Amino acid sequence: MAGLKTASGDYIDASWELRVAVEELGPEAEPLTLRVTGDVHIGGIMLQIVDKIKVKQNWSDHALWWEQKKLWLLKTNWTLDKYGLQADARLRYTPQHKPVRLQLPNRRMIRVHASFSEPVFRAVAGICRVLSIRHAEELSLLRAPEEKDKKKRKGPVLGTEDDFDLSGVVLPASAEQQPFRGMPAHFSDSPTTEACYRMLSVSWTGLSPEHVLKMPRPSNLMEKAQINSRWLSSSRSLMQQDVRENEQLWLRFKYYSFFDLEPKYDAVRITQLYEQARWAVLLEETESTEEEMMVFAALQYHINKLSLSADPTEPAGEQGLDDLDSALSNLQVKLEGGTSTSDMLENLTTIPELKDYLRIFRPRKLTLKGYKQYWVMFKETSISYYKSREEALGEPVQQLSLKGCEVVPDVNVSSQKFCIKLLVPSPEGMSEVYLRCEDEQQYARWMAGCRLAAKGRTMADSTYQSEVQNILSFLQLQRASPDAPVAPDAEAIGTQWLVSPRYQKKFKPKQLTPRILEAHQNVAQLSLTEAKMRFIQAWQSLPDFGISYFVVRFKGSRKDEILGIANNRLIRIDLGVGDMVKTWRYSNMRQWNVNWDIRQVAIEFDEHINVAFSCVSARCNIVHEYIGGYIFLSTRSTDKGRGLDEELFYKLTGGHEAL
């Protein structure tokens, strides 16, 4: 818009000059100068820019970015005055979608176009549509760690080569993508995209012990907490968080609450989830015992063997998938809260009880006494124990309410040790109680009861029997088969990459191979999908599965501690020894808020319990988003017609930034 000029060439109206850098013209090009007034719309500015550039191309994805304010000017009907733009504003005319390099859960690299203008929550949904991963709300993006010791590394490192480029993929307009030649249609365009689909949906078999040894792995809780400091905020765009074009980011499952896992539709999702589980076990991000590690190694060996001949375009075998119902129900972890049908059922039926002789041990200072046999009764959500069965009508030696307690397995199948470690909340912190069972059957019944009671549920709950079966099947995997025939290629399979570095150092290949092949006998009949699901399920059975760690300072405390955030609870952990000190469940949470000025999170639970802490290892909004994210995921419905309530997600996770 031209202003009126005086004889000296000055403008006398309200117009002023606006400078806009155009990315397409290159970094050296001078910004365009436009003469504007405050009542010009953003859409009008963009038309002027395209007019001046005189380059014929599709400009529909371009928008204006205001550098000083870190703001996309996406409301094209807003005027410059409404946005508060003045002559000193530095604007950039740039595409909203730009390429990024993603390291996937399987540690392979891929190049995709991502939205730099929408919140990361929506950008991840777009990426997952391209990758054919359902339930994108469970995943998010982290910054890649800075590589400080590049010089120390020799040879290839996983996740730095073999780029697959999907940045040119155009998705069909319909939300429901129809498969073509056994895969999503956009992967069947060329041999390159087909190879990419195979990489996404079939596990990579070319690993070596060196790959595992070279991967950075956390050696303590502090280092585990550092990983979680790199999550990007879901309610802000990539551009707002200074992510550059072609920058490397990590795509990971962030929330350990896996909803509606369906082999028929989730080939990529199940494979990538298995891969994230596998690396968590191999890099000891999730701790496991020696016996458990052999089970994980056997399942990996089996999956590896079947993957060599797997055809990702063939539909998942239906045979045996009915047996996965229990695994799926276990994987479909939901938060407690609300009135469920199982609660109503409890009111109509008598609640089952457990009564048996168990050996109990309560560690106390200055005592060396071991386990002592008691008559133990499990009723609703509490345990009472007596010196003998005859005394069960009188007062118990002790009664323990298991609501909110931590239930930790302490099992060694080969030495017939079946213990349940209970960390029971008390005013002084967590008190330890060990229950020792006689055999697998007794252990499975009591363990399932304890797990449900910890969540405030009883044995009348519909999931009790499937929980018992899951525990028994996991123990079955750990049982050795002494008559296992040794495969002829036993020495050649290279078993060391199947276990974590700790066990690589502990065992020579000659010792390791027979043990893994022995454990393999228990899983040799599983199909590829079943084996992956069984691996995920076994991962979920580990005591510290699904806990994300943060270094915090609790109000009133003088030392740093660890806050563990899980899908249904918060855990206070002693940083020095790693012991759980206290547990708070979301189902008992009444309200929570954040003081952004002092970076403090305050939570109020039932019975006037108040917890407040400041964040040390990560930004306060990362912790806030984790808690809000899990509460959001608990609202998901199995109703296929109901989409996600995105606004609710931002409300629960975004804090002041979402408003």
Side-chain angles (χ1 to χ4, degrees), residues 453-477:
K455 299 172 187 174
R457 300 177 189 168
T458 71
M459 284 178 282
D461 193 277
S462 59
T463 60
Y464 174 70
Q465 287 304 330
S466 63
E467 184 70 42
V468 172
Q469 287 309 312
N470 287 337
I471 293 165
L472 286 170
S473 65
F474 190 41
L475 293 175
Q476 176 69 34
L477 292 181

Side-chain angles (χ1 to χ4, degrees), residues 123-139:
V124 169
I127 290 166
C128 287
R129 268 197 302 276
V130 172
L131 301 181
S132 290
I133 297 175
R134 296 192 313 143
H135 295 294
E137 67 275 7
E138 295 167 2
L139 298 95

